Amino acid sequence: MTFENINVEKRGAVALVTLNRPKALNALNTPMMQDLAKAVDALEADDGVNVIVLTGSEKAFAAGADIKEMRPKSFVGAYLEDFITRDWERIATCRKPVIAAVAGYALGGGCELAMMCDFIIAADNAKFGQPELTVGTIPGIGGTQRLTRLVGKSKAMEMILTGRQIDAVEAERAGLVARVVPAASLVEEAMKTAAQIAKLSRPLVSLAKEAVNAALETTLTQGVRLERRLFHATFATEDQKEGMAAFSEKRPPAFKNR
Ligand code: DAK
């Protein structure tokens, strides 16, 4: 798969997608997000791929939506084209797990893109922020909603109203990132984590992902009910039989994604 603004590489059952507009610190523009959406379409349809890792460069995961692209937009133009909606949120609808491996700046749309992934592994040089107010707009790719759900109202409000950047340690403490690793081993660590998930049963991983995501969108009672039904559904799979047989027989499971 060849694209102008991203690189896609398959390593076993893990696909590594690298944002590649280094001169603009990976600022997200429409062509790049179209590339990303097409890549996700293809990787989701690819039976050989179980997990996706999304990364940027050591200096920037992404320094925001492209301010130069946005600058001339009018309200009517942005509204009529439904700016941001098409392609920009494709990562959030991917049914396979997506891990964000974030080094350097993850600002504005960059932070929002990382938050659309299932979890974030951060390099120790990562910086997260929502500086949109400082450039005359507000977060528009889900930042006010996802950041608030992840770190709570107080920290989200402070970050969004002041534009203050937080480092990887603070981001981990706040629950925005799952784990912090040395910048030099970021991609390796993310790929290792992805490979661990890729060995599991794909349908069961997707069911678990669906259940966790429901926690952010439903009441506790509805979420637990959905979880219970999905849990019941796992007993209809061959992989449940295999996983539990392997445990009893003291051998590693051989999941078949069935
Ligand atoms: N857009 C376009 N170009 C960018 C960019 C960005 N977000 N960030 C960096 N660049 C470009 C710079 O312009 C520069 O290009 P040249 O001028 O050399 O051509 C190049 O990348 C290197 O940047 P710097 O020279 O500034 O590098 P430094 O190391 O000095 O500084 C920095 C790095 C990340 C601190 C700085 O570049 C910076 O502050 N960047 C902007 C960060 C930012 O404000 N990001 C948030 C963008 S706003 C909405 C939809 C979307 C959004 C809002 C609403 N609606 C639908 C309503 C989202 C908005 C955003 O994400």
Side-chain angles (χ1 to χ4, degrees), residues 25-257:
L25 300 184
N26 289 331
L28 312 173
N29 63 4
T30 299
M32 182 193 250
M33 298 315 277
Q34 284 170 344
D35 284 355
L36 190 56
K38 276 190 206 136
V40 173
D41 285 346
L43 296 172
E44 204 171 50
D46 184 338
D47 258 354
V49 172
N50 288 0
V51 182
I52 299 168
V53 172
L54 178 65
T55 196
S57 70
E58 191 163 340
K59 176 158 185 193
F61 176 73
D66 191 314
I67 297 167
K68 292 160 194 170
E69 183 185 36
M70 286 188 290
R71 186 178 166 188
K73 285 195 187 294
S74 65
F75 164 73
V76 171
Y79 176 72
L80 287 181
E81 71 171 285
D82 206 4
F83 177 55
I84 293 291
T85 306
R86 192 174 307 123
D87 298 325
W88 290 67
E89 292 183 315
R90 182 63 183 87
I91 284 281
T93 61
C94 180
R95 297 177 74 209
K96 293 181 180 174
V98 185
I99 302 172
V102 174
Y105 296 111
L107 303 179
C111 186
E112 292 168 304
L113 179 63
M115 289 190 291
M116 281 182 221
C117 299
D118 294 309
F119 60 92
I120 301 173
I121 298 181
D124 50 14
N125 73 340
K127 289 202 178 306
F128 298 86
Q130 297 289 163
E132 286 87 345
L133 279 169
T134 69
V135 294
T137 183
I138 70 167
I141 322 174
T144 61
Q145 304 306 301
R146 290 196 177 93
L147 188 64
T148 308
R149 282 164 166 80
L150 291 173
V151 306
K153 178 183 167 188
S154 195
K155 193 175 279 287
M157 199 64 101
E158 190 218 5
M159 285 174 69
I160 289 166
L161 297 189
T162 67
R164 182 173 77 86
Q165 294 175 18
I166 62 172
D167 64 19
V169 171
E170 186 175 353
E172 185 182 26
R173 202 166 58 223
L176 178 57
V177 315
R179 197 149 53 89
V180 181
V181 299
S185 55
L186 173 69
V187 172
E188 187 191 326
E189 284 294 330
M191 293 300 281
K192 233 193 276 173
T193 305
Q196 242 176 305
I197 300 169
K199 276 197 278 187
L200 302 172
S201 162
R202 207 166 73 211
L204 297 180
V205 165
S206 287
L207 287 174
K209 167 171 166 154
E210 193 178 335
V212 174
N213 279 334
L216 298 178
E217 296 187 355
T218 56
T219 64
L220 180 62
T221 305
Q222 289 169 324
V224 170
R225 190 176 305 141
L226 174 70
E227 179 201 81
R228 199 61 39 80
R229 294 295 166 256
L230 295 177
F231 165 71
H232 291 157
T234 65
F235 293 92
T237 66
E238 288 180 28
D239 287 340
Q240 174 268 329
K241 303 286 174 272
E242 168 59 13
M244 295 191 183
F247 174 81
S248 307
E249 292 158 17
K250 301 189 189 302
R251 60 171 174 82
F255 293 120
K256 291 188 188 135
N257 299 328

